[in-house]
Amino acid sequence: MTNLKTEDTCTSPFDHVKEIGVDKLKFCIRSAQCDHSLAAILQERFDTLGNKAATRKFSSKGKAFRKRLGVPVGDGFVVIECQPNKDSYPWAATVEVNPNAYLREGEKAIARLASFFRFVFGHEASRLLPNVAVTTLHVNVDFDVNPLEGALVVAKGKRGGAKVMYDFDGQGTLGSLYVGVLGSDRRLCVYDKATEVLHRECEPYANRILTALASDRWDIEVSKLREKFSGPARWRLEVRCEPKTAVAVAAITDFASCFDGIRFLHLPTDKSPFNTSLGRLFIASARNDGINVALRALDEKERRQFSRAIARHGDLEWFNTEMLRDAIADTIAKLSPLFAPPRRRLEVRLTDARSDICQPSRPARTILRAAKLEKLNHP
């Protein structure tokens, strides 16, 4: 995982970037690639994994697959599915994983995940993994500042956004933002990752919290929870890519450009034309419905005036899509061992003394077996 930390005196756009990663990856095996041999392998592997104590079995109700398992692999969790309910379904099996858990640990963790994939698909892994189709990839960039504070978000081709948890901190700060409709091929999400983790992690402690509310130990329990979940602020920009047509894994680095067309603008409320009552209404409308919708609400003369004013203001200096593209490509490239065929045994070329013909060496076990047979035939 790309971890970009710079000195406080640096003016790089990456000053506030804490982490760049891949939050979700889902790839599929096409039904056309599945034969009876692969179906038998998947059946055997699912039975083996399903009998492990740590494996979770998910319901197939309302889902596309009859068999769905959640398997712990290292510090992460992998969801695998097979046996579609419909014969005409395009996918024979799917795999979903959060690569961040492995990117943070480094090459050994990624190699462990790749080994698990090869186990699931057996001897067919070398044929299938380099040819899987990617249907979902979420790229995240984590900041130590709130990207939404005092900024407007613009995404090319997307109509505005939806606010969630507005004023949740009581200070008029926009908590979460979604740009792009649900089910869109590319959707931008901006949210407080620390708060999201806190909500998720606190759920198992709900009963303890409720019990503490009715006792004298409330302050003690709160201090314990604060100590357990305290950490630096972390805001996440996440582009959720779910293309209408699955992308070949060989082209997975194309997702590095997922932030293209996204801009963060700061419109100064103390300068014309934004310091007028119309300007303040425009900014409020832009935050709710997006800049394009806010511009369409103006008459033609005002629209030209505000468009020129917006064009004069560049992107916020901490956000640079070109630099992000390169960093994201480097991060995605670290996942390539997951889809590479297993490393083949190196071939040692032996030259016959009487010719220039080169032959690959045989495994040691095969050579020993042949030597024994020759000894028996010629005592």
Side-chain angles (χ1 to χ4, degrees), residues 27-28 30 91 129-135 243 245-255 339:
F27 64 85
C28 308
R30 300 182 186 277
W91 312 122
L129 290 175
N131 299 295
V132 298
V134 177
T135 58
T245 303
V247 176
V249 73
I252 192 173
T253 52
D254 291 350
F255 287 104
F339 308 104

Short mmCIF file of all heavy atoms in Angstrom, two decimals, residues 27-28 30 91 129-135 243 245-255 339:
data_model
loop_
_atom_site.label_atom_id
_atom_site.label_comp_id
_atom_site.label_asym_id
_atom_site.label_seq_id
_atom_site.Cartn_x
_atom_site.Cartn_y
_atom_site.Cartn_z
N PHE A 27 -13.64 -10.14 -8.38
CA PHE A 27 -13.41 -10.67 -9.71
C PHE A 27 -14.19 -11.97 -9.89
O PHE A 27 -14.61 -12.61 -8.91
CB PHE A 27 -11.91 -10.88 -9.98
CG PHE A 27 -11.23 -11.89 -9.10
CD1 PHE A 27 -11.25 -13.25 -9.41
CD2 PHE A 27 -10.56 -11.49 -7.96
CE1 PHE A 27 -10.60 -14.18 -8.61
CE2 PHE A 27 -9.92 -12.41 -7.14
CZ PHE A 27 -9.94 -13.75 -7.47
N CYS A 28 -14.39 -12.33 -11.15
CA CYS A 28 -15.29 -13.44 -11.48
C CYS A 28 -14.66 -14.38 -12.50
O CYS A 28 -13.83 -13.98 -13.31
CB CYS A 28 -16.61 -12.90 -12.06
SG CYS A 28 -17.41 -11.64 -11.04
N ARG A 30 -15.72 -16.65 -15.62
CA ARG A 30 -16.82 -16.75 -16.58
C ARG A 30 -17.36 -18.18 -16.66
O ARG A 30 -16.59 -19.15 -16.58
CB ARG A 30 -16.37 -16.28 -17.96
CG ARG A 30 -15.89 -14.83 -17.98
CD ARG A 30 -15.51 -14.40 -19.39
NE ARG A 30 -14.91 -13.08 -19.39
CZ ARG A 30 -15.60 -11.94 -19.39
NH1 ARG A 30 -16.92 -11.99 -19.39
NH2 ARG A 30 -14.98 -10.78 -19.39
N TRP A 91 -21.46 -15.79 -14.69
CA TRP A 91 -20.31 -16.10 -13.84
C TRP A 91 -20.48 -17.47 -13.19
O TRP A 91 -21.54 -17.80 -12.67
CB TRP A 91 -20.14 -15.04 -12.76
CG TRP A 91 -20.19 -13.62 -13.25
CD1 TRP A 91 -21.05 -12.64 -12.87
CD2 TRP A 91 -19.35 -13.03 -14.25
NE1 TRP A 91 -20.80 -11.47 -13.54
CE2 TRP A 91 -19.76 -11.69 -14.40
CE3 TRP A 91 -18.29 -13.50 -15.01
CZ2 TRP A 91 -19.15 -10.81 -15.29
CZ3 TRP A 91 -17.69 -12.63 -15.92
CH2 TRP A 91 -18.10 -11.32 -16.05
N LEU A 129 -6.82 -17.67 -13.33
CA LEU A 129 -6.51 -16.41 -12.66
C LEU A 129 -6.01 -15.31 -13.59
O LEU A 129 -6.39 -14.15 -13.42
CB LEU A 129 -5.50 -16.66 -11.52
CG LEU A 129 -6.07 -17.44 -10.33
CD1 LEU A 129 -4.98 -17.74 -9.31
CD2 LEU A 129 -7.21 -16.65 -9.67
N PRO A 130 -5.15 -15.62 -14.59
CA PRO A 130 -4.73 -14.53 -15.48
C PRO A 130 -5.84 -14.03 -16.39
O PRO A 130 -5.65 -13.03 -17.10
CB PRO A 130 -3.61 -15.18 -16.32
CG PRO A 130 -3.18 -16.38 -15.54
CD PRO A 130 -4.42 -16.87 -14.87
N ASN A 131 -7.00 -14.71 -16.39
CA ASN A 131 -8.08 -14.35 -17.31
C ASN A 131 -9.39 -13.99 -16.61
O ASN A 131 -10.45 -14.00 -17.24
CB ASN A 131 -8.33 -15.51 -18.29
CG ASN A 131 -7.12 -15.83 -19.13
OD1 ASN A 131 -6.68 -15.02 -19.94
ND2 ASN A 131 -6.55 -17.01 -18.93
N VAL A 132 -9.32 -13.69 -15.32
CA VAL A 132 -10.54 -13.34 -14.60
C VAL A 132 -11.05 -11.98 -15.06
O VAL A 132 -10.32 -11.18 -15.66
CB VAL A 132 -10.32 -13.34 -13.07
CG1 VAL A 132 -9.91 -14.72 -12.59
CG2 VAL A 132 -9.30 -12.28 -12.67
N ALA A 133 -12.32 -11.71 -14.75
CA ALA A 133 -12.93 -10.42 -15.08
C ALA A 133 -13.20 -9.66 -13.78
O ALA A 133 -13.76 -10.21 -12.84
CB ALA A 133 -14.23 -10.64 -15.84
N VAL A 134 -12.79 -8.40 -13.75
CA VAL A 134 -12.97 -7.56 -12.57
C VAL A 134 -14.27 -6.78 -12.71
O VAL A 134 -14.47 -6.04 -13.68
CB VAL A 134 -11.79 -6.58 -12.38
CG1 VAL A 134 -12.02 -5.67 -11.19
CG2 VAL A 134 -10.49 -7.36 -12.21
N THR A 135 -15.18 -6.95 -11.76
CA THR A 135 -16.47 -6.26 -11.81
C THR A 135 -16.57 -5.13 -10.80
O THR A 135 -17.43 -4.26 -10.95
CB THR A 135 -17.62 -7.26 -11.54
OG1 THR A 135 -17.42 -7.88 -10.25
CG2 THR A 135 -17.66 -8.34 -12.61
N PRO A 243 -17.94 -1.06 -13.24
CA PRO A 243 -18.24 -0.88 -14.67
C PRO A 243 -19.38 -1.77 -15.15
O PRO A 243 -19.56 -2.89 -14.66
CB PRO A 243 -16.92 -1.25 -15.34
CG PRO A 243 -16.18 -2.08 -14.35
CD PRO A 243 -16.59 -1.59 -13.00
N THR A 245 -19.59 -3.14 -17.97
CA THR A 245 -18.96 -4.29 -18.62
C THR A 245 -17.70 -4.65 -17.84
O THR A 245 -16.86 -3.78 -17.59
CB THR A 245 -18.58 -3.96 -20.07
OG1 THR A 245 -19.76 -3.54 -20.78
CG2 THR A 245 -17.98 -5.18 -20.75
N ALA A 246 -17.60 -5.90 -17.44
CA ALA A 246 -16.45 -6.32 -16.63
C ALA A 246 -15.13 -6.05 -17.37
O ALA A 246 -15.05 -6.14 -18.59
CB ALA A 246 -16.57 -7.81 -16.31
N VAL A 247 -14.11 -5.71 -16.58
CA VAL A 247 -12.80 -5.35 -17.13
C VAL A 247 -11.86 -6.54 -16.96
O VAL A 247 -11.78 -7.15 -15.89
CB VAL A 247 -12.23 -4.12 -16.40
CG1 VAL A 247 -10.82 -3.81 -16.88
CG2 VAL A 247 -13.13 -2.92 -16.59
N ALA A 248 -11.14 -6.88 -18.02
CA ALA A 248 -10.14 -7.96 -17.95
C ALA A 248 -9.08 -7.59 -16.93
O ALA A 248 -8.67 -6.43 -16.83
CB ALA A 248 -9.52 -8.20 -19.31
N VAL A 249 -8.63 -8.56 -16.15
CA VAL A 249 -7.66 -8.27 -15.09
C VAL A 249 -6.36 -7.72 -15.66
O VAL A 249 -5.64 -6.98 -14.98
CB VAL A 249 -7.41 -9.54 -14.25
CG1 VAL A 249 -6.57 -10.55 -15.03
CG2 VAL A 249 -6.72 -9.19 -12.95
N ALA A 250 -6.05 -8.03 -16.91
CA ALA A 250 -4.84 -7.49 -17.53
C ALA A 250 -4.89 -5.97 -17.66
O ALA A 250 -3.86 -5.31 -17.74
CB ALA A 250 -4.64 -8.12 -18.91
N ALA A 251 -6.11 -5.41 -17.65
CA ALA A 251 -6.28 -3.96 -17.77
C ALA A 251 -6.65 -3.32 -16.44
O ALA A 251 -7.20 -2.22 -16.41
CB ALA A 251 -7.35 -3.65 -18.82
N ILE A 252 -6.33 -3.99 -15.33
CA ILE A 252 -6.77 -3.51 -14.02
C ILE A 252 -6.15 -2.16 -13.67
O ILE A 252 -6.76 -1.36 -12.95
CB ILE A 252 -6.44 -4.57 -12.94
CG1 ILE A 252 -7.15 -4.23 -11.62
CG2 ILE A 252 -4.95 -4.70 -12.73
CD1 ILE A 252 -7.01 -5.29 -10.57
N THR A 253 -4.98 -1.86 -14.18
CA THR A 253 -4.36 -0.57 -13.86
C THR A 253 -5.09 0.60 -14.51
O THR A 253 -4.83 1.76 -14.18
CB THR A 253 -2.89 -0.54 -14.29
OG1 THR A 253 -2.78 -0.93 -15.66
CG2 THR A 253 -2.04 -1.47 -13.43
N ASP A 254 -6.02 0.32 -15.43
CA ASP A 254 -6.83 1.39 -16.00
C ASP A 254 -7.67 2.09 -14.94
O ASP A 254 -8.07 3.24 -15.11
CB ASP A 254 -7.75 0.85 -17.11
CG ASP A 254 -6.98 0.41 -18.34
OD1 ASP A 254 -5.77 0.69 -18.41
OD2 ASP A 254 -7.57 -0.23 -19.23
N PHE A 255 -7.92 1.39 -13.84
CA PHE A 255 -8.69 2.00 -12.76
C PHE A 255 -7.92 3.12 -12.07
O PHE A 255 -8.48 3.86 -11.28
CB PHE A 255 -9.06 0.94 -11.71
CG PHE A 255 -10.14 -0.01 -12.16
CD1 PHE A 255 -9.84 -1.30 -12.54
CD2 PHE A 255 -11.46 0.39 -12.18
CE1 PHE A 255 -10.82 -2.18 -12.95
CE2 PHE A 255 -12.47 -0.48 -12.58
CZ PHE A 255 -12.15 -1.77 -12.97
N PHE A 339 -2.79 -12.72 -9.62
CA PHE A 339 -3.34 -13.25 -10.87
C PHE A 339 -2.28 -13.86 -11.76
O PHE A 339 -2.59 -14.34 -12.86
CB PHE A 339 -4.07 -12.13 -11.61
CG PHE A 339 -5.08 -11.42 -10.75
CD1 PHE A 339 -4.81 -10.17 -10.23
CD2 PHE A 339 -6.28 -12.02 -10.42
CE1 PHE A 339 -5.72 -9.52 -9.42
CE2 PHE A 339 -7.20 -11.39 -9.61
CZ PHE A 339 -6.92 -10.13 -9.10
#
